[in-house]
Amino acid sequence: MENKYRLPNLILPNYYSITIEPDLNNEKFNGYETISLTIKETTNSIKLNSIGLTISKAKILGLQLESVDILEDQEHETISINFNQDLTPGDYELELFFLGNLDNSLRGFYLSRYTDDNGIEHKIGTTQFESTDARRAFPCFDEPEFKSIFSITLKVPKGLFTVSNTGIKNITKTDSHDIYEFKDSIKMSTYLVAFVIGPFEATEEVIVDGVPLRIVHAIGKSHLTDFAIETGKFALEYFSDYFGRPYPGDKLDMIAIPDFASGAMENLGCITYREALLLVNEDEATQSELTRIADVVMHEIAHMWFGDLVTMKWWNGIWLNEAFATFMATKAVDKFNKKWERWVQFGLEKSAAFDVDSLHSTRPIEYEVISPDDASAMFDLLTYEKGGAVLRMLEQYVGEEKFRDGIRHYLNKHEFANTETEDLWRSIESYSSIPVRETMNSWILQAGYPRINFEIKNESVKISQSVFKYDNEDKGGIWKIPIEIKLSDNGEIKTKKILLEDKEIQINIANSKFITGNCNSNGFYRSNYSKTFLSNIDEDHLSKLNKSDTNSHKSIK
């Protein structure tokens, strides 16, 4: 069945040249753009996304062919630009003039305000395009798969700080305005385009492996930027090494926005943050506050590779972007400050996902996305916490080096392109001894999670699975479960990895003492042990993660 929220795949954008002129005082903007297109089949109509904009003029350059009408479909957030002659397959340039309002909706190109220490109110023009709100700022092919190169020009009132995804190519000064021309971006999706205009200032550049890094903030808050610089520098170095390839942009600005709906947004080279999640007085902050900021910074910078360089084809795959960034952020913060014991905290945080996933109203991690509202609904605990925990489980079973090699292969193979979830599983599987695709599909395509029962009898352990629900109603379901058990063999601690593919399996553990069935609490399942076994646990052989798991995520029969 045709999805009317989707654009036909018959016209492909290659290059956007966009000029935006904001009028902050009157809370509006006007724009002009040229989109270089490839038309694959003969047509007399070009359909693209737009909502809340007034299109004043549209024509095909070169042919000097003006549109005969522009029809808007508000329900599906599209416009159809119609011509009185056919456009045969080939390359064209579509020119558009448009007008829009700067409102306080916190999406699209919107107006933000803040009051300084002197009680003076300031206005900011800023953007938030994920998931489907670039169409509120300029007409575009606003789907992740329609990647393109973007050339942004901003004509702004004099004296306002101006920033976008890339470095500045040229500034032209007039009596009333400054015209900022930015360098071409990499090939990327519309939801990653960003620009910010307002009374800001920036820290001095810190060069990290050749990449200029700055913190952009409201005037007078430079004393709150040191920790952001420290974490940003660490993240750039860590991820460049982990992914085995340099940062994909030409610079990185991290911008503190006073009025911002999300925690942060991974616009390539122009990451926007809620002010409280970037600026901090490190001497006065709690460890929890610092950890939270470090988490967010690492999460967004991880996206520069996983999400920006390589992007999902459609919004059903957004879970993988967010789950992977959550997983990688936890990994990076654990390296950044070992004293914070970040993986122990993560073990506790995923309890919230356990709670949601124990309800009959839960959903699979990945599901069909039809409308923009469906895409917005993906941003929840199951996407972030459960998704991140499932990736951690896979990494620990496959092995950290093999998992990393699979990630590097995936990024190299699909750079500047779009992927389906299974593309990642194939890359990791090529470095693994287990069927990664089949294993992971059992976790992401069905709702809920299993309870694993461990029965220890003499020289063997029987491992079986069932569905865990708070009402104990088991309606079936089976997972391929990576399990790592911990054993003691004459005082020597060993681990054994098992892939439970059926309802149950029996493992011989002759001459060994069973310690735990969820080593380091890496598995996304509840462990069920007998009361007798629990009463005889030697806690000296349990990690902090296992103690948390034993105390908080067991069901005792």
Side-chain angles (χ1 to χ4, degrees):
M1 181 182 296
E2 179 189 5
N3 181 354
K4 292 185 178 180
Y5 291 98
R6 299 291 300 271
L7 297 174
N9 204 24
L10 303 177
I11 302 176
L12 305 178
N14 303 307
Y15 187 94
Y16 290 78
S17 177
I18 305 170
T19 298
I20 302 286
E21 182 177 354
D23 182 348
L24 300 186
N25 289 331
N26 293 305
E27 302 181 5
K28 61 184 181 180
F29 65 93
N30 62 70
Y32 158 85
E33 69 180 342
T34 303
I35 309 175
S36 298
L37 305 169
T38 297
I39 295 179
K40 296 162 66 176
E41 292 185 8
T42 299
T43 183
N44 65 353
S45 181
I46 297 175
K47 187 177 182 179
L48 64 165
N49 294 111
S50 177
I51 188 71
L53 299 174
T54 300
I55 315 299
S56 58
K57 184 179 180 182
K59 72 176 182 179
I60 299 294
L61 296 179
L63 299 178
Q64 299 304 311
L65 180 63
E66 294 199 13
S67 63
V68 293
D69 57 35
I70 302 172
L71 302 180
E72 183 177 14
D73 179 349
Q74 291 191 3
E75 179 184 355
H76 300 104
E77 302 183 356
T78 62
I79 55 172
S80 294
I81 304 171
N82 301 310
F83 301 93
N84 61 6
Q85 72 179 60
D86 286 341
L87 302 172
T88 56
D91 295 330
Y92 297 87
E93 288 190 324
L94 174 65
E95 180 185 67
L96 294 164
F97 291 83
F98 53 92
L99 305 168
N101 293 317
L102 288 168
D103 58 25
N104 59 356
S105 64
L106 305 185
R107 61 180 184 169
F109 184 30
Y110 71 92
L111 193 69
S112 177
R113 293 177 170 87
Y114 79 93
T115 303
D116 66 21
D117 293 339
N118 297 317
I120 299 173
E121 184 183 77
H122 299 276
K123 291 182 176 180
I124 297 165
T126 187
T127 58
Q128 170 58 32
F129 292 161
E130 191 180 34
S131 304
T132 57
D133 289 324
R135 64 192 66 176
R136 297 177 182 275
F138 54 94
C140 56
F141 296 80
D142 198 15
E143 296 182 16
E145 190 171 5
F146 292 114
K147 280 192 164 184
S148 185
I149 295 170
F150 292 85
S151 172
I152 305 295
T153 298
L154 300 172
K155 184 178 180 181
V156 303
K158 294 190 73 67
L160 293 181
F161 192 96
T162 303
V163 64
S164 187
N165 300 90
T166 55
I168 297 169
K169 180 171 64 176
N170 186 55
I171 302 176
T172 301
K173 295 183 178 294
T174 70
D175 292 341
S176 59
H177 289 79
D178 294 330
I179 302 171
Y180 287 81
E181 298 173 66
F182 293 91
K183 298 175 183 176
D184 286 359
S185 73
I186 65 168
K187 193 176 182 182
M188 64 184 190
S189 302
T190 48
Y191 79 92
L192 297 169
V193 176
F195 34 89
V196 182
I197 303 105
F200 289 107
E201 59 185 353
T203 61
E204 291 292 326
E205 290 181 351
V206 174
I207 305 301
V208 186
D209 295 334
V211 178
L213 169 67
R214 300 185 302 177
I215 309 301
V216 178
H217 54 86
I219 294 170
K221 296 190 176 183
S222 60
H223 61 292
L224 302 175
T225 60
D226 288 350
F227 187 69
I229 285 286
E230 182 185 2
T231 51
K233 181 177 183 295
F234 180 90
L236 281 172
E237 292 173 339
Y238 178 80
F239 291 129
S240 294
D241 176 69
Y242 183 90
F243 295 130
R245 57 180 303 134
Y247 168 74
D250 67 340
K251 57 91 179 176
L252 179 56
D253 289 322
M254 300 200 293
I255 306 159
I257 305 294
D259 193 12
F260 194 66
S262 304
M265 178 59 209
E266 65 269 20
N267 316 300
L268 183 74
C270 187
I271 305 175
T272 44
Y273 294 81
R274 188 183 304 167
E275 197 173 64
L277 293 177
L278 187 66
L279 305 182
V280 67
N281 185 330
E282 192 173 356
D283 295 330
E284 297 178 358
T286 65
Q287 178 180 311
S288 177
E289 290 170 331
L290 295 177
T291 303
R292 176 63 177 147
I293 290 173
D295 276 348
V296 175
V297 169
M298 305 292 180
H299 180 107
E300 302 308 324
I301 294 180
H303 271 311
M304 300 297 103
W305 288 263
F306 207 101
D308 293 10
L309 179 67
V310 179
T311 313
M312 69 278 160
K313 286 185 178 179
W314 181 239
W315 293 107
N316 64 299
I318 190 61
W319 81 268
L320 186 57
N321 275 14
E322 298 304 336
F324 190 85
T326 299
F327 161 73
M328 286 305 305
T330 307
K331 196 173 181 69
V333 173
D334 183 63
K335 295 288 186 182
F336 176 71
N337 192 322
K338 281 289 186 184
K339 293 180 181 178
W340 291 350
E341 297 182 317
R342 191 64 190 86
W343 283 118
V344 176
Q345 293 181 53
F346 182 79
L348 297 173
E349 289 164 2
K350 71 181 182 184
S351 299
F354 274 119
D355 290 341
V356 171
D357 217 22
S358 300
L359 303 173
H360 285 290
S361 60
T362 190
R363 64 164 176 84
I365 293 176
E366 182 171 323
Y367 62 89
E368 185 180 13
V369 171
I370 297 174
S371 70
D373 287 343
D374 293 337
S376 298
M378 292 285 280
F379 295 85
D380 64 6
L381 282 167
L382 296 176
T383 288
Y384 289 80
E385 275 72 20
K386 180 181 179 180
V390 167
L391 288 171
R392 171 68 170 176
M393 176 174 65
L394 177 65
E395 181 215 37
Q396 291 299 295
Y397 190 88
V398 169
E400 293 190 25
E401 289 190 9
K402 291 180 178 179
F403 183 88
R404 182 200 61 198
D405 290 342
I407 297 301
R408 289 178 173 181
H409 176 267
Y410 170 81
L411 292 174
N412 288 331
K413 182 176 181 180
H414 301 289
E415 63 179 0
F416 310 116
N418 300 82
T419 60
E420 302 280 7
T421 300
E422 287 208 353
D423 292 318
L424 177 63
W425 304 151
R426 289 189 187 94
S427 288
I428 298 174
E429 187 169 273
S430 64
Y431 292 88
S432 170
S433 59
I434 69 167
V436 173
R437 283 175 291 171
E438 293 179 17
T439 299
M440 295 306 291
N441 283 343
S442 75
W443 287 92
I444 68 170
L445 299 180
Q446 67 176 330
Y449 64 94
R451 167 178 26 217
I452 308 300
N453 188 58
F454 296 94
E455 295 182 46
I456 298 95
K457 292 184 179 179
N458 300 323
E459 296 185 342
S460 67
V461 56
K462 179 183 175 183
I463 306 173
S464 58
Q465 64 169 297
S466 60
V467 178
F468 184 93
K469 294 293 179 187
Y470 280 138
D471 59 9
N472 288 321
E473 183 179 352
D474 185 350
K475 291 186 176 180
I478 190 166
W479 288 262
K480 292 185 182 295
I481 309 170
I483 295 173
E484 187 172 9
I485 63 175
K486 183 181 285 188
L487 306 166
S488 175
D489 187 355
N490 294 320
E492 183 181 355
I493 304 302
K494 298 180 178 180
T495 62
K496 184 176 181 68
K497 294 181 178 180
I498 303 141
L499 184 64
L500 178 59
E501 300 185 76
D502 300 307
K503 279 288 185 181
E504 62 180 55
I505 191 173
Q506 192 149 318
I507 305 296
N508 188 301
I509 56 169
N511 304 317
S512 297
K513 180 182 179 182
F514 185 87
I515 297 174
T516 180
N518 190 0
C519 188
N520 289 324
S521 192
N522 291 322
F524 192 81
Y525 52 80
R526 291 185 185 266
S527 305
N528 186 48
Y529 307 102
S530 67
K531 289 182 180 180
T532 302
F533 172 78
L534 289 172
S535 64
N536 290 294
I537 284 180
D538 183 354
E539 293 201 3
D540 290 341
H541 293 315
L542 295 179
S543 67
K544 287 186 178 181
L545 285 163
N546 276 132
K547 290 176 183 177
S548 168
D549 182 63
T550 302
N551 292 330
S552 302
H553 300 297
K554 65 178 181 291
S555 53
I556 303 173
K557 64 174 185 177

